[in-house]
Amino acid sequence: MTIRPDRRTEPTQLRPFSSSQNLLNRCDGSAQFQFDKTAVLVSITGPTEVKFRDEKLDRASLEVIVRPLTGLSSTKERVLESVMRSTFANVILTGLHPRTSIQIVAQVMKDDGCVSVGVIAVCLLVVCGVRYDKLDNSSAKSLTSIAYFGLHQVQSAAINATTMALLDAGIPMNALVGSVTCMVGKEDGEILMDPTMEELSRARSIHTFAFDSASRTSVMMDENGGKGTSGGVVLYSESTGDFTEDEYFGCMSLCQQATHKVHGFVRTAVEKKIEREYQQITGS
Amino acid sequence: MPSTAAQIMQNVVLPGDPIPSHTGDDTTIKLGPGLTQDQDVITSMKAGVLNHLEGSNRWWVESNQQRVSLQQPIHLQGNRLFPFEKWVEFAGGAELGDGFGQTIVFISHPHQYIPATGESVIGIVCGRLTEGFKVDIGAAQQALLPYLAFEGVTKKSRPNFLVGALVYARLSLANKDMEPELECVNPATGKADGFGELKGGFVFKCSLGLSRRLMDENTPILRFLAEQQIPFEITIGRNGRVWITSGSAKTTIMLANTLQNSEYLNERECREMVRKLMTMQ
């Protein structure tokens, strides 16, 4: 098995992830989730007063704001906002807090350079008087495509951070949401989980999935010959690049298994937090 | 009730976790805060510790713990998300019962106040409408305090609060669909019983858990302060606001700081803190 650039041996191995909870004290809940070099901090405020035009009579209205690492927010952030809004609208029990607003604010804290590398590459090409569309060199083109591939990592981290922040805020949910990213390699069609920037330059397509944690058997699993895992339902799926149907479902099943690990990690993190809180009561 | 750390850790639940039914099919289970029923399965809605009373069929999830003593159960009148009237029997028809008068411990939401009927809160008058005052109680919606919800009031002698006045009132109506309503009179006796305008003094914000614990007679901090023979008057609102007044501004601020700092201290440390403050005076 070839060793991956960051010394991982298995294609299905994820990079180490870490998280922190309850970081901010002016909001109702907050958490930061980090996939190696990509980190997103999410704060939750709610249920609070809602603007009249956003008021819904029978449920809370979800408001999502995403801020990029650098610069002003643009259409990319709007896409991520609508992704998160639709994903979490299925999970948060908004019917328990009608005519209120739950505000989710996500700030990208660390980005493993995908976006900035792409921007710098385009700028250098422009300075040298070279037009992008006249390039024959495919690696130069791939540098800029990494810019778009890198967004997937931010989406995964943002979804995981939002789950942990919602747990911290005590907003009622019907399941956890976990998200991972994987890619399909250009030469061999090999599926790699949680790719690094180097691996992304050799990607033909990249996929992000979000699954919920409720343990019911997923109907989709039957098409893959049943890996035997009773997993969650797909809440979100985004793919960029060229891929076949088999590759897509292969990625989905691998991501589902990897998402189990993310859910397990969230569970461990919450247990540790509760343990520490109880220590203050019973121990001291 | 689980009291050791190991037992506590075994009962940690996350949203979507099904609750295993410990009882036979015939007995009914009462669901408290944090639990919901989806057809035949009971699942948790929040991250917390699953609890149930010994020898009873009441189950609930304690979430966002704010340092409540598990050895000392606390008597409470209403709870955060589901007033007592709404505890639902799991198997069989819904039966509405009120007030168990039993030992129930629950905490949710450290910051955001969710109104519940019967709770006493400190509000700030924000405006006047034709039928009452608009009062901010720190919830998602502002509450309405009708002009006639006072003791001994007639159409001619309506109370006249200015915008920004502090009011201590009781929630007469609170549910998730309507804006909350307040009253400044005890419904049982018809007398004011301490409700009404709070003049002078100083209001500070604290977490919901702390305001709940301050109202419990087992919490020692107020007793320690009273033992020091400082005259003061205090009003505690369940919405995380505490009003305090004493002889001088300096004493008032000292008392407010003491109460806010006492949230994370145990009894011995509280006693120590009060003693230090007295020596500094």
Side-chain angles (χ1 to χ4, degrees), chain A residues 195-243:
Chain A
T196 63
M197 197 175 82
E198 276 181 69
E199 289 170 331
L200 283 180
S201 63
R202 292 180 273 115
R204 191 159 25 93
S205 66
I206 180 166
H207 308 263
T208 299
F209 289 94
F211 292 92
D212 77 356
S213 68
S215 49
R216 30 187 145 73
T217 44
S218 165
V219 175
M220 302 286 267
M221 290 310 294
D222 296 339
E223 299 191 24
N224 281 316
K227 296 252 176 183
T229 52
S230 63
V233 165
V234 179
L235 290 177
Y236 175 66
S237 156
E238 176 167 348
S239 309
T240 308
D242 302 324
F243 52 93

Side-chain angles (χ1 to χ4, degrees), chain A residues 28 46-47 49 93 95-100 167-170 172-175 267 271 275 277-278 280-281 284, chain B residues 8-9 12 14-17 45-47 49 62 64-65 67-70 109 111-112 114 140-141 176-177 266:
Chain A
D28 295 329
E49 216 175 312
L93 298 174
L96 289 178
H97 299 289
R99 297 165 68 210
T100 64
L167 292 177
D168 189 45
M173 300 198 281
N174 62 16
R267 184 176 295 267
E271 280 174 5
E275 195 179 339
E277 285 172 354
Y278 272 74
Q280 284 237 354
I281 307 168
S284 62
Chain B
I8 288 164
M9 286 306 114
V12 172
L14 290 178
D17 284 356
M45 291 192 294
K46 304 203 167 187
V49 179
E62 282 181 48
N64 282 13
Q65 266 296 344
R67 288 147 201 97
V68 173
S69 161
L70 292 177
H109 260 284
H111 303 287
Q112 183 66 22
I114 297 174
Q141 287 183 286
K176 65 184 166 90
D177 297 301
N266 63 18

